[in-house]
Amino acid sequence: MEKMIYLDNSATTKPSEASLQKMQEALRICYGNPGSVHQAGIDAHKLLEEARRQIAASFGLRRATDGQILFCSCGTEANNQAIFGTVYAKNRPEKNGSRGKILITEGEHPSVENAAARLEADGFTIHRIPTKGGALDLDDLEQAVDDSVILAAMMLVNNETGALYPIRAAAEIIRRKSPAAHIHCDAVQGYMRVPFTPASLGVDTLSVSAHKIYAPKGAAALYVSQDTIRRKRITPILYGGGQEGGLRSGTENVPAIAAFGAAAREGMLEADTRAKKVSSLHDFLIGNLSGLVQINKPECGADAIVNITLPNIKSEVMLRALSAKGICVSAGSACSARAKKVSRSLLAFGLSEREADCSLRISLSYQNTEEELAVFCDALEQELHRLARMR
Ligand code: PLP
């Protein structure tokens, strides 16, 4: 097969050389347990803390009082920790038939949507804020917020449509109407793709994942504000040896975390060049796709994600045809692709079930080239004609 063209960078990214080198160093030299007090442990602990500083710097944190970074295994775990950890930090007895209201957006990643569904079964009320056309409905949010809201968990960038939500504006509404509510942001798709800090978004917790920023799989970070810790508004979901300030027990995955830190550092240094490259690739792609397929462009979006709907060709059929030509795109988020459910995000965006079933996500990286996109667009056009003839 010819060289693979990888256009599924929202599912995962190709680790950079810097992150792989750092991982090798941790695996070969600093293999001690960071909790051990001997030299091997001290060396591993140093790597862990170096990565923590690198992630903290990427969040604009300068002092320890600006908040804490806790490491865990993946974005899914970070979201679960934020959601269950804050909801169960306090005793929440039932009042007027509900244990409290939780706000999420319509079309959250399953790690938030399914966690919320679990809490719904436990007696909490879930309100999903509409996201039609990729716009977060702030009027609906305003109406929905009252002092029964205990948690809002909202994504920064939608993983399927690329829609970029105004988290700061949403957080301001929530703070004004329900000051005690905890605000969590799933920034997994936004991290290193759009500029932000937890402070600029005005949130209490925020999750990011290593494998989406050119580091290997196996590490993620949860930012927790100092206020959340001071007021004991978060509790662990994993109990054990008390690692990560007691919030996430279990020996840290030092090689993956060290690689994560290196990737974050590299991403910060190269932020402008990468953003310019992805923006120009995005424009090139849109230019080539216009007139060929329906482009599901959000009102405000991240350049890295382009969602399209094919004319009456199921995404799965096209995905396999492109894969046979060495081109990797996606029919939705990687974790739900195998579940074969119609995407909630796309329905919330305003697509019909049929359209959602015929949609593809192309997600870009600074590592892609215009030549690759041109090959992809040619292959897509050929397959559109071939598959249409077969119908
Ligand atoms: N949140 C969003 C928006 C995502 O896109 C993903 C993964 O695709 C996750 C959370 C989960 O991250 P992880 O794959 O690290 O569990």
Side-chain angles (χ1 to χ4, degrees):
M1 191 189 287
E2 292 161 35
K3 188 177 158 273
M4 185 170 77
I5 297 181
Y6 187 74
L7 301 173
D8 200 11
N9 293 282
S10 284
T12 199
T13 51
K14 180 179 171 195
S16 71
E17 273 312 310
S19 82
L20 288 176
Q21 264 180 29
K22 198 73 192 177
M23 187 170 216
Q24 284 284 330
E25 179 190 331
L27 283 167
R28 291 181 193 281
I29 306 167
C30 300
Y31 50 80
N33 185 323
S36 302
V37 290
H38 48 60
Q39 195 55 48
I42 293 169
D43 292 346
H45 186 257
K46 268 192 196 151
L47 271 191
L48 188 65
E49 294 315 310
E50 180 187 28
R52 207 183 306 280
R53 280 193 301 278
Q54 286 163 330
I55 304 293
S58 76
F59 287 168
L61 309 182
R62 289 194 185 85
R63 299 166 296 266
T65 49
D66 288 345
Q68 287 188 19
I69 305 296
L70 72 92
F71 286 120
C72 55
S73 66
C74 58
T76 298
E77 186 190 342
N79 282 337
N80 274 262
Q81 169 62 63
I83 293 170
F84 292 109
T86 55
V87 167
Y88 288 130
K90 307 267 174 210
N91 181 24
R92 305 201 189 268
E94 196 176 299
K95 252 196 258 164
N96 306 326
S98 168
R99 295 176 69 193
K101 196 190 276 185
I102 296 168
L103 306 175
I104 62 172
T105 79
E106 188 67 82
E108 285 290 334
H109 183 268
S111 55
V112 171
E113 169 58 41
N114 294 343
R118 179 72 190 82
L119 288 168
E120 197 164 26
D122 275 357
F124 294 89
T125 305
I126 310 298
H127 179 88
R128 294 173 177 81
I129 309 153
T131 51
K132 196 153 188 352
L136 188 68
D137 189 336
L138 293 179
D139 291 334
D140 177 89
L141 173 70
E142 177 97 41
Q143 297 268 317
V145 190
D146 54 33
D147 61 7
S148 72
V149 173
I150 53 169
L151 167 71
M154 302 170 289
M155 62 195 342
L156 179 60
V157 170
N158 184 283
N159 50 305
E160 294 188 53
T161 63
L164 172 62
Y165 298 140
I167 299 303
R168 168 117 214 156
E172 278 168 5
I173 295 172
I174 298 163
R175 296 255 184 257
R176 176 163 45 79
K177 298 188 77 182
S178 185
H182 180 93
I183 305 179
H184 172 66
C185 179
D186 170 355
V188 166
Q189 291 292 343
Y191 190 42
M192 299 281 155
R193 296 196 172 106
V194 295
F196 71 85
T197 65
S200 74
L201 298 178
V203 299
D204 300 306
T205 47
L206 179 141
S207 50
V208 297
S209 177
H211 72 104
K212 312 284 186 183
I213 68 147
Y214 311 99
K217 290 147 203 68
L222 181 70
Y223 157 84
V224 185
S225 74
Q226 206 51 33
D227 190 48
T228 302
I229 291 167
R230 202 175 42 237
R231 297 203 204 177
K232 298 193 172 39
R233 287 165 63 165
I234 190 160
T235 191
I237 56 170
L238 279 188
Y239 290 85
Q243 288 90 340
E244 298 299 297
L247 268 176
R248 201 281 188 177
S249 286
T251 304
E252 290 93 343
N253 184 350
V254 179
I257 291 169
F260 183 22
R265 180 171 183 275
E266 193 182 33
M268 285 221 335
L269 294 173
E270 295 181 8
D272 289 344
T273 5
R274 288 185 185 182
K276 277 194 196 114
K277 174 88 185 285
V278 172
S279 163
S280 117
L281 289 173
H282 170 269
D283 294 350
F284 180 85
L285 180 63
I286 296 286
N288 279 273
L289 290 175
S290 300
L292 193 62
V293 289
Q294 170 184 320
I295 300 173
N296 303 316
K297 200 167 166 35
E299 208 174 83
C300 180
D303 287 333
I305 300 179
V306 174
N307 194 290
I308 59 173
T309 299
L310 311 172
N312 274 323
I313 292 166
K314 287 207 173 196
S315 20
E316 206 186 312
V317 175
M318 181 59 87
L319 199 138
R320 289 185 197 283
L322 290 172
S323 176
K325 293 186 164 182
I327 300 170
C328 304
V329 293
S330 152
S333 67
C335 28
S336 54
R338 289 184 202 282
K340 297 210 166 87
K341 279 195 209 139
V342 180
S343 151
R344 274 188 93 113
S345 272
L346 296 182
L347 297 182
F349 188 88
L351 300 192
S352 65
E353 278 204 17
R354 170 102 206 134
E355 285 174 315
D357 214 16
C358 296
S359 296
L360 285 186
R361 175 185 72 182
I362 302 119
S363 46
L364 305 170
S365 144
Y366 71 93
Q367 297 158 334
N368 291 128
T369 62
E370 283 193 0
E371 291 70 38
E372 288 181 326
L373 294 182
V375 173
F376 160 69
C377 290
D378 280 350
L380 182 72
E381 189 166 6
Q382 279 170 21
E383 288 305 319
L384 284 173
H385 292 309
R386 186 180 71 81
L387 293 167
R389 279 198 304 273
M390 284 170 64
R391 274 210 309 268

